[in-house]
Structures are given as structure tokens and as C-alpha cells.
Amino acid sequence: MSYETIVVDFDESVTKITLNRPERLNSFTVQMHEELADALSNIERSDEVRAVLLTGAGRGFCAGQDLSDSSVAPGSDAIDLGHAVDTYYSPLVKRLAEMARPVVCAVNGVAAGAGANIAFACDIVLAGRSAKFIQSFANIGLIPDSGGTWVLPRLAGQARALGLALTGEPLSAEQAEAWGMIWKCVDDDVLESEAIKLAKRLAAGPTRGLVETKMALRNTYDRTLDDALALERDLMRELGRSHDYQEGVAAFMEKRAPKFTGQ
Ligand code: T3D
């Protein structure tokens, strides 16, 4: 499939996906959803890709749904936003959260509506200092979708989640970092290089261990302490037999850098 609304680059085991409708702040159309889904499928099938970087072209990261798309035009009897949520937004968020690769998001500008919550669905979020996160749903009579109702209280706590979601007030990247909602806020001019450096570092890491870590932490809210301890035992047992564990210990003993293969 050739792409018109995203750009996909591959370098040193990292696939970088750039949302590329800058004139509409990279808001989502059906075409962009389909292209992004195709790119993510290719990543899932690849043995070479060991980390993913998601970012946006131009001055915005993503302004959520393209509100000029006729399929979401209010007033029509046929309109069913639940269909768009079920078909596109929810599967995208699940895919990012469950992808068997670390996913870094570089928020290069405004992230609004679904755009904000798609960023929050990624494993590690870096944001440029001028970026902001907006739960725009409040301005148009909708609710925070794309996992917003799930992720906001978990990242920000209930009081801040309610404040953000009910007012639709922009949250600066610096405040998002201070509230622990993102990993780091960095100067705009170094965002891209920092995000690439981080993605390459993760791609060179022990992929199986990193992915199990990601999944164990992401699903921790469903577990009791006993469940978590049992899971840790099982994962340690499994990873203790991995090539990367062998390599990591050998490299430590030999005082050299490890060469992980992801196996
Ligand atoms: O399918 C479904 O509908 C269900 C799923 C819904 C999920 C959602 O994401 S609902 C939320 C949709 N998004 C929004 O409500 C955000 C709308 N955009 C804004 O509020 C503002 O654009 C921003 C706060 C994000 C940025 O403001 P600003 O002043 O920096 O930029 P701007 O001038 O508003 O936008 C620049 C251009 O992008 C402008 O076009 P123009 O006038 O230059 O021709 C603007 O219309 C366009 N644009 C921005 N966001 C969208 C958009 N066009 C279509 N859809 C957008 N979401």
C-alpha cells in the first residue's frame, strides 16, 4: 500500500511514522486511519522492527478526528460516531498499547481530542515545550474517546482528569510532565533528535524483556499483589531462558556493551 497521509521511515530497527496532513493539524480521516493501520500491520509482521516512533508533520501532532469529514457531519440520521470509534479509534489505541515493540511518541505540537489520547496510549511520550494536550471533546458535546476515560484518571488522577475533560482547557507540555502524564518535555528544537535517540536505544535493547515489562505494567491495575508476584515469577522464569538474558549477563561480566538480538 502506498501512503498519502502518513510517512513511514525505517532506520536502525526503528520505524518512524509521521502523521502527514499538516494543513489540517494531522487530524484523522478514514484514509489516514487505514494507512496507519496498514503501517502498524507491517511493523507487527516484521522481524526487523524493534521500536516504533510516532510523530506529526508541521506545527501540530494531531487534532483528533477531521471534523470536516462528511462521515461525521452532525445532523444526518445515518451518523454513528460509535462506528468510527469501534472501527478506527479503539483498535488503534489497543494496537499501540499492546504492540510487541516499545512505542515512543514525539508530540511536536498541539495534540487535541483523539490526538491527545492516542499520544497517551504510547509507551513513552516526549513532548516539545510548545506542545499542548487538549481534551477538545468538551467543546463539541462528546466524551474523551480513544481510551481517554480510562487513561486520564490513571495518568493524572481523578481530580485533574475531570478538570481536563470537563473544561477542555489546554494542558502545556511542561504541566503534563510535572503531573507525570508524559515522560519528558524537551525544547522544541531537540524533540526529534531526542525521540530518535530514545527509540534507537530501545530498539537496541532486549526486546522480549522490554515488551513483557510494558505489558506487565500496563495491565497491573487488573491484578492483586499476589497476582503480580505470580506473574513476575512466570516472566522471570521465561526470560531467564532467553538469549538476551545470557548476553546481558555475559556482557556485564566481560565489561563490554551487550549486543541484544531481541530473542
Ligand atoms: O468519528 C468521530 O467523530 C468520533 C471520534 C472523535 C474523536 C475526536 O477527536 S473528537 C475531537 C475533534 N477535534 C477537535 O475538536 C479539535 C479541533 N481543533 C481545534 O480546536 C484547534 O484547531 C486546535 C486547538 C487543535 C488548534 O488551534 P490553532 O488555533 O492552533 O489552529 P487552527 O487555526 O484552529 O487550525 C489550523 C487549521 O487546521 C484550520 O484550517 P484553516 O482555517 O487553516 O483552513 C483548522 O480548521 C484545521 N483543523 C484543526 N483541527 C481540525 C481541523 N480541521 C478539521 N478537523 C479538525 N479536528
Side-chain angles (χ1 to χ4, degrees), residues 51-230:
V52 179
L53 172 57
L54 181 65
T55 192
R59 73 177 178 88
F61 169 66
C62 173
Q65 169 64 39
D66 184 325
L67 296 172
S68 65
D69 190 317
S70 60
S71 69
V72 298
S76 138
D77 284 346
I79 189 173
D80 178 3
L81 299 189
H83 174 76
V85 164
D86 249 1
T87 312
Y88 300 116
Y89 289 99
S90 302
L92 170 58
V93 162
K94 263 181 80 69
R95 243 171 149 177
L96 294 169
E98 292 173 3
M99 171 145 310
R101 319 280 189 288
V103 181
V104 175
C105 186
V107 181
N108 52 300
V110 67
N117 297 333
I118 288 164
F120 292 138
C122 297
D123 298 322
I124 301 190
V125 184
L126 291 181
R129 208 163 293 283
S130 69
K132 51 193 173 180
F133 299 86
I134 311 178
Q135 296 296 318
S136 316
F137 312 92
N139 303 328
I140 54 172
L142 299 179
I143 57 109
D145 73 355
S146 304
T149 62
W150 187 91
V151 81
L152 291 173
R154 284 171 166 79
L155 290 179
Q158 186 76 304
R160 286 167 174 163
L162 281 164
L164 292 171
L166 295 180
T167 66
E169 272 184 25
L171 176 73
S172 70
E174 283 177 354
Q175 193 66 65
E177 181 193 55
W179 284 1
M181 296 179 71
I182 63 170
W183 172 236
K184 257 184 212 170
C185 163
V186 299
D187 288 337
D188 290 339
D189 58 347
V190 298
L191 174 68
E192 188 180 1
S193 58
E194 288 289 313
I196 289 173
K197 192 162 70 180
L198 174 62
K200 286 188 176 170
R201 176 176 151 192
L202 293 168
T207 310
R208 273 179 68 188
L210 297 183
V211 170
E212 295 296 6
T213 301
K214 152 180 175 164
M215 296 316 297
L217 287 171
R218 280 186 169 281
N219 299 326
T220 196
Y221 301 102
D222 304 334
R223 291 191 196 99
T224 61
L225 175 60
D226 283 344
D227 292 342
L229 294 174

Side-chain angles (χ1 to χ4, degrees), residues 233-245:
R233 175 203 57 219
D234 294 346
L235 292 175
M236 290 296 271
R237 182 172 287 147
E238 181 190 320
L239 292 167
R241 295 175 184 138
S242 70
H243 177 272
D244 279 345
Y245 172 62

